[in-house]
Amino acid sequence: MRVKKAVIPAAGLGTRMLPATKSIPKEMLPILDRPAIEIIVNEAIESGIEDILIITNRGKGAIEDYFDFAPDLERSLEKSGKLDTLEKVRYPATCANIYFVRQKETKGLGHAVWCAKEFVGDEPFAVLLGDDIMVGETPVIKQLIDAAEKYNASAVGAQWVSDEAVTKYCSLKIDELENRIYRVSDVIEKPPIEKKYSNYAILGRYVLTPEIFDILEKTPPGAGGEIQLTDGLNSLCKVADMVAVDFDAKRYDTGNLIGFMETTLEFGLKHPEVGPWLREYIANMK
Ligand code: G1P
């Protein structure tokens, strides 16, 4: 199994970050000087992915502009000798083959992934959710690709989360196969706590086989009245092997205010120029 394609759903409304996301796609909110989606795209590239499809929606044009050239800006940077900045500005337009498709109706994550059917064709593919930024030594989607290849199965990225988080995310029924890798036999989206299988929840990363498309086509709306990817996965794991990888990385949820602040702060602390200043600033803050 070789995974060459990735899908990044970026069609959500970003309601937890309003009012900023009224006119800025949430995926374009900056983590320091880069939009969050560039960090996700880099994770895919560092994992050997060559083709990336971003699923957009109305009002997400800024994402397409970002991954395009900006000839006037580039000329002006070149003329003024700002070559470092020029390189950063050109990077998104040259870093990978990036394609776009619109999810014309907001019908949920399962439906957004289904919109990738033509792009994906008959190959396994990766899915990276834009809200979840991962920082680890090995890119998380690479950890999943390795497990998917080893077990010839689809793979989901999971971590142990609190009871409160299980009800907001999803819950996996799993049996251990080896250290940090489990076989998945059931998964439920946003369960009430008495219906949880375990405290392991899927967190934003998937390697899926193309059977998921026929399944999603038949999946009725679930939690929140939306077509849920998790419901599709629950059907997929009944007919084909699926593993959960307890991935080795820290996950940041940039889709809400506190998660966004945590990401900005920690990326700031690690940044070579901003970091030393930020530490001193915090230490001296009244
Ligand atoms: C989505 C998925 C859910 C997953 C979560 C965290 O939920 O539907 O299964 O656990 O992302 O990655 P959302 O945060 O969009 O409600």
Side-chain angles (χ1 to χ4, degrees):
M1 183 191 285
R2 184 151 177 255
V3 181
K4 293 176 293 184
K5 293 180 178 173
V7 174
I8 303 180
L13 299 175
T15 43
R16 292 178 297 169
M17 290 298 276
L18 281 169
T21 45
K22 179 181 168 192
S23 58
I24 304 166
K26 65 173 171 175
E27 298 77 12
M28 290 301 295
L29 293 175
I31 307 299
L32 306 189
D33 56 357
R34 316 249 167 172
I37 195 165
E38 184 173 312
I39 301 171
I40 310 278
V41 163
N42 282 340
E43 181 186 331
I45 295 170
E46 283 159 18
S47 304
I49 304 270
E50 291 156 14
D51 296 309
I52 300 172
L53 178 71
I54 301 178
I55 316 275
T56 64
N57 202 331
R58 276 170 291 280
K60 300 274 187 171
I63 303 179
E64 293 189 38
D65 291 343
Y66 188 74
F67 288 99
D68 193 0
F69 290 114
D72 291 346
L73 174 63
E74 288 171 30
R75 254 192 308 276
S76 139
L77 290 169
E78 207 171 352
K79 245 172 138 182
S80 51
K82 294 186 175 145
L83 299 184
D84 282 359
T85 312
L86 177 65
E87 200 181 309
K88 287 185 201 162
V89 160
R90 285 178 62 84
Y91 173 78
T94 54
C95 62
N97 304 318
I98 301 192
Y99 306 84
F100 295 89
V101 70
R102 266 196 192 201
Q103 182 189 21
K104 293 185 192 143
E105 297 159 278
T106 305
K107 291 211 266 187
L109 180 60
H111 178 259
V113 169
W114 175 82
C115 294
K117 185 177 174 181
E118 296 305 317
F119 165 81
V120 166
D122 201 20
E123 311 178 28
F125 65 104
V127 177
L128 299 92
L129 302 191
D131 282 352
D132 298 280
I133 288 186
M134 311 291 190
V135 179
E137 219 157 273
T138 308
V140 171
I141 204 67
K142 178 77 170 77
Q143 297 179 35
L144 265 62
I145 292 171
D146 290 346
E149 280 174 358
K150 179 167 177 191
Y151 288 94
N152 198 23
S154 43
V156 294
Q159 279 186 343
W160 196 99
V161 300
S162 67
D163 274 356
E164 196 205 339
V166 161
T167 61
K168 281 198 288 180
Y169 299 149
C170 63
S171 171
L172 286 160
K173 190 172 183 181
I174 48 175
D175 296 292
E176 191 169 18
L177 288 165
E178 63 173 283
N179 188 28
R180 304 190 87 128
I181 302 186
Y182 302 82
R183 181 177 305 287
V184 178
S185 53
D186 271 296
V187 53
I188 180 169
E189 178 74 7
K190 307 200 192 325
I193 201 60
E194 64 280 5
K195 288 211 172 148
K196 75 168 181 187
Y197 294 121
S198 74
N199 280 67
Y200 278 94
I202 303 175
L203 297 176
R205 297 292 182 272
Y206 313 78
V207 171
L208 302 175
T209 49
E211 295 100 71
I212 192 68
F213 294 114
D214 284 348
I215 291 175
L216 287 173
E217 225 150 273
K218 295 184 206 117
T219 302
E226 297 192 330
I227 298 174
Q228 295 290 349
L229 178 60
T230 305
D231 293 344
L233 298 177
N234 192 41
S235 303
L236 182 62
C237 73
K238 305 292 186 309
V239 295
D241 288 340
M242 181 181 294
V243 295
V245 180
D246 179 2
F247 57 81
D248 185 13
K250 177 154 183 189
R251 173 224 181 212
Y252 297 89
D253 180 1
T254 59
N256 67 75
L257 195 50
I258 288 182
F260 185 79
M261 280 308 300
E262 190 189 355
T263 320
T264 305
L265 190 62
E266 290 201 22
F267 273 66
L269 289 170
K270 280 190 212 136
H271 189 278
E273 286 157 40
V274 177
W277 166 81
L278 185 56
R279 257 168 236 286
E280 205 181 319
Y281 181 79
I282 293 171
N284 296 325
M285 225 164 48
K286 300 246 162 54

